[in-house]
Amino acid sequence: MTSPGREYFARLMRSHGHEGVLHLRTGEGSAAALDDPRPESLTMATPTPTPTRMEIQITGIREHVAECVTETDGEQCGIRSSTWDSPMQVNTWIRAHATETGHTKYKKHMEEPVNTFSKPARTSVRRDG
């Protein structure tokens, strides 16, 4: 049986409104300066590639909003709800707007502020015994 991956745990954390860090391993370093000629017509030594990882850090609270997209007289209603940190409040707004207007089509939107940054990957040391 395999254990769940980091993506699963990150989604689980976000679905419960918790902040967290998701670690992703990226390429094997940069080869940008490998063939850069030196003024003395010597080439630079080839550096050892450094594994890196891209981290995605949730930096704020997830926001939920709904928009009525029911067409009336050939145009969408377009009324948007307030922004809340809980999807339950959006559902309440949708029910109230539907009861008041008879409109039946809505779009829910979720936004979550995140930052990304690269840093060297930790090398794991395997210990036998």
Side-chain angles (χ1 to χ4, degrees):
M1 181 176 180
T2 61
S3 62
R6 285 190 178 146
E7 290 179 7
Y8 170 79
F9 289 116
R11 274 190 237 120
L12 183 63
M13 287 175 56
R14 286 193 307 263
S15 70
H16 287 86
H18 297 288
E19 294 185 17
V21 176
L22 174 63
H23 301 282
L24 301 172
R25 184 173 295 272
T26 59
E28 293 297 321
S30 173
L34 295 181
D35 296 320
D36 187 20
R38 305 287 292 173
E40 302 85 22
S41 298
L42 300 174
T43 57
M44 294 176 61
T46 304
T48 304
T50 305
T52 59
R53 68 176 176 204
M54 177 66 68
E55 291 192 2
I56 300 172
Q57 183 176 23
I58 301 168
T59 57
I61 296 174
R62 179 180 294 147
E63 297 176 340
H64 300 270
V65 66
E67 178 181 4
C68 180
V69 294
T70 304
E71 286 193 22
T72 56
D73 299 328
E75 300 215 2
Q76 287 186 358
C77 173
I79 294 177
R80 292 175 62 98
S81 70
S82 297
T83 302
W84 292 290
D85 60 357
S86 168
M88 293 186 314
Q89 293 163 316
V90 172
N91 293 342
T92 302
W93 179 86
I94 290 172
R95 285 186 197 102
H97 185 71
T99 301
E100 182 180 306
T101 62
H103 294 174
T104 58
K105 295 188 181 188
Y106 298 85
K107 283 188 180 179
K108 287 176 153 182
H109 303 277
M110 185 272 298
E111 293 182 359
E112 184 173 64
V114 298
N115 290 337
T116 61
F117 54 94
S118 294
K119 60 192 280 188
R122 289 181 282 192
T123 56
S124 59
V125 177
R126 189 174 197 178
R127 296 181 185 185
D128 295 325

